[in-house]
Every structure is written in structure tokens, then in C-alpha cells.
Amino acid sequence: MSEQAVVSLRNVTKSFGAGGVTALQSIDLDVRPGEFVSLIGPSGCGKSTLLRVVGDLVEPSSGEVIVNGKSARQARRDRDYGIVFQDAVLYDWRTVEKNIALPLELLGWDKGRQTERVRELLELVELQGFGSHRPWQLSGGMQQRVSIARALSFAPALLLMDEPFGALDEMTRERLNSELLRIWQASGSTVIFVTHSISEAVFLSTRTVVMSRRPGRIAAIVDVDLAQPRNADTREEPRFFELVTEVRDRLREGGLDEESTAPGEGELVVSEETP
Ligand code: ADP
Ligand code: MG
């Protein structure tokens, strides 16, 4: 099983500093090729840390991380990852086009191919006409779409996304959710997606990993058996609501005690816990 997994985590633990916070404890997880796995849990439970461990941006304190059959370090060197963070990390001195083309430049694509790909991507994230703008001339939501376009530019084997749509309005978020699914299906890439929105997790994923309050452990894994391809109608299906309820229940069992109770609301509102 672990041989064919894109990501294999074995007994992964992460503590910060001497006697510091244990962010992750005994994490075991296999992500298979083509899966869309969401990580959900209360603020501070270690979702970002887990994603960063997979992406070789944080070293685990113990345990094993295998990506595409090699170490996370080697996978990063081989450019197996596309990474999108909550806040767009863009270079202000580069135009939008040049930001999106950065990975392609590093991969040595010729100029013509780069230009063509950037044009496609600008269309995909609906930023046609903004290619020669600078990031600071765009709204936060637009910047985030540039960052998503950049991560998708070279069709990475593994896309790591940390609450990429958290700062966007609901309409834009739902549209980008659908686009992300379309791209995911077309590219066949594997996605690990951090979110604090229950409805977003259910709509997007093939499996939702529910994490417990700190120290982060896997409290439950919910298989999301909604038919593909998913679209706006998916959000109206009875099964969608059942799964939203199931994830919410698993979160409660995981020790989450603060959340929105608005009926029919798939959103999870949690505040940063005090140490
Ligand atoms: P989440 O993404 O689920 O909100 P994080 O993974 O960011 O949670 O953080 C998990 C815990 O680890 C938190 O208590 C956080 O304060 C702590 N933590 C995260 N990164 C660091 C760091 N670089 N140094 C010290 N503590 C950290
Ligand atoms: Mg986080």
C-alpha cells in the first residue's frame, strides 16, 4: 500500500522547541495517486504543520515522510510539489505574468510556451487583462488567484494548498472550488487541501481527514462518496448534507467546542485557543 502511495506518513510527530508545543502526534496517513484529501480541524491543531511536513518546509521531530517513493527533501528538489498558501506570496517587482511564469522559467521552458501557458492560466483564474499589472495593484482575492495559477502552471504531481480560498468572498470561493476540481480531474494530480470550512472540505474531497485539538492527531477519516464530477447541484444533494453533518460530528468528538451553529451553515468558526 505505501509503495503506491503518493504520500506516506508513518508515526509522524512534531514538537516546536525544547519543552514547546507538540503540534503533531503519531500521524499515520497514506494518500493514494489522484486523491483529493482535505485536512480539517480547529485552529492551531496542526493542519499547516502537517502540510509543511509533507512539503519539506518543516522537519518532523520523529517519524517518516515518503513522497513519490522518496524523501520529502528529494521530492522538493525534484519539483514534485505545487504549493499555495493562505496569503499569496508574490514578488512585487514582477508583473502578474512574470509571477505565474516563475516556475516555468526555473524549469527552462522556452518563452513562447511560457507565454501560451500564462495566457491559459490567466483565463482560468479570470484575470485576463491583468497580466502586466503588479501584485500590489490587485485585491487580495485577485492576488490569491495569481498564486493559484502559479502553483498550477507546471501541473505538479502533488498540490499542497493551505486555506487558499479562506480570504475570498463566498461566490469567488465556490467558483474557484469548482475550477480546482475541474483542473484536478483534468491533470490527474493529487491534492492535499487544508481548510476550516466543513462544506468546502466535503465539496472538494474524496476523503476528509478530521484532526483533533492540539496535539494534532487524526480523529477520523470520512470517505466522501459524492459522485464526480461535482457541480453546484452537488451542494443541494441530501448526501452532501449528511456528509457535512458527519464531518461536524467527528470534529465535535475530536474536542472542538466552538463552532458556528447557524442551521444549514457548513462553515466552521473557531478562534485561536489561548495557551
Ligand atoms: P493550524 O494550521 O491547524 O491552525 P498550525 O500547524 O499552524 O495549526 O500550528 C499548530 C501548533 O503549532 C500551534 O499551537 C502553533 O502555535 C504551533 N506552531 C506552529 N508553527 C510553529 C513554529 N514555527 N514555532 C513554534 N510553534 C509553532
Ligand atoms: Mg494553518
Side-chain angles (χ1 to χ4, degrees):
M1 171 152 136
S2 60
E3 267 168 67
Q4 62 175 54
V6 175
V7 175
S8 226
L9 301 171
R10 287 289 170 274
N11 205 13
V12 168
T13 296
K14 176 66 187 176
S15 308
F16 288 102
V21 172
T22 300
L24 298 173
Q25 194 152 54
S26 309
I27 301 285
D28 282 298
L29 181 67
D30 279 311
V31 178
R32 296 179 293 271
E35 275 199 287
F36 195 122
V37 171
S38 292
L39 304 178
I40 191 166
S43 185
C45 77
K47 302 180 294 295
S48 294
T49 302
L50 183 55
L51 200 75
R52 286 165 168 271
V53 162
V54 172
D56 186 44
L57 301 170
V58 159
E59 185 126 19
S61 304
S62 65
E64 193 182 36
V65 183
I66 302 292
V67 179
N68 283 337
K70 52 203 165 192
S71 68
R73 179 69 39 90
Q74 190 58 44
R76 188 148 70 92
R77 288 200 185 114
D78 293 347
R79 300 192 178 281
D80 289 356
Y81 304 110
I83 303 182
V84 182
F85 294 107
Q86 182 162 20
D87 300 307
V89 185
L90 301 173
Y91 296 104
D92 263 345
W93 64 89
R94 286 185 154 239
T95 61
V96 164
E97 273 163 358
K98 289 268 184 196
N99 268 284
I100 295 174
L102 186 61
L104 308 178
E105 276 176 40
L106 295 172
L107 289 167
W109 285 33
D110 69 57
K111 272 274 177 282
R113 225 173 130 216
Q114 280 187 33
T115 307
E116 176 55 23
R117 182 68 183 142
V118 167
R119 197 192 54 74
E120 282 172 14
L121 289 158
L122 283 172
E123 204 168 295
L124 181 69
V125 297
E126 295 190 358
L127 287 174
Q128 304 99 309
F130 291 93
S132 48
H133 284 58
R134 306 279 163 172
W136 48 267
Q137 296 176 296
L138 307 182
S139 71
M142 291 161 89
Q143 290 179 18
Q144 192 57 302
R145 283 185 274 154
V146 173
S147 148
I148 291 160
R150 182 179 55 192
L152 293 171
S153 63
F154 59 102
L158 180 58
L159 194 53
L160 304 178
M161 306 182 88
D162 194 350
E163 304 201 32
F165 305 138
L168 306 183
D169 66 82
E170 197 60 21
M171 295 286 287
T172 308
R173 174 190 267 217
E174 289 192 0
R175 191 169 51 73
L176 286 176
N177 278 178
S178 296
E179 281 176 3
L180 177 59
L181 283 186
R182 187 169 55 70
I183 293 158
W184 165 68
Q185 290 208 305
S187 66
S189 73
T190 307
V191 181
I192 305 181
F193 187 99
V194 170
T195 181
H196 63 266
S197 161
I198 299 173
S199 60
E200 186 172 63
V202 170
F203 181 73
L204 290 174
S205 29
T206 55
R207 278 197 299 164
T208 297
V209 173
V210 179
M211 292 176 68
S212 67
R213 210 173 254 300
R214 208 171 66 206
R217 297 167 182 271
I218 295 178
I221 298 183
V222 177
D223 281 308
V224 181
D225 52 8
L226 296 166
Q228 303 279 2
R230 297 176 189 169
N231 52 39
D233 295 338
T234 306
R235 297 180 194 276
E236 308 297 325
E237 285 175 25
R239 184 66 185 144
F240 178 79
F241 291 106
E242 278 172 27
L243 286 160
V244 163
T245 302
E246 181 168 355
V247 171
R248 183 179 290 126
D249 289 348
R250 297 289 95 78
L251 276 164
R252 286 215 180 97
E253 288 164 14
L256 182 71
D257 41 32
E258 262 182 275
E259 70 174 63
S260 154
T261 50
E265 254 259 42
E267 298 296 314
L268 172 73
V269 180
V270 285
S271 56
E272 189 67 58
E273 56 185 324
T274 41

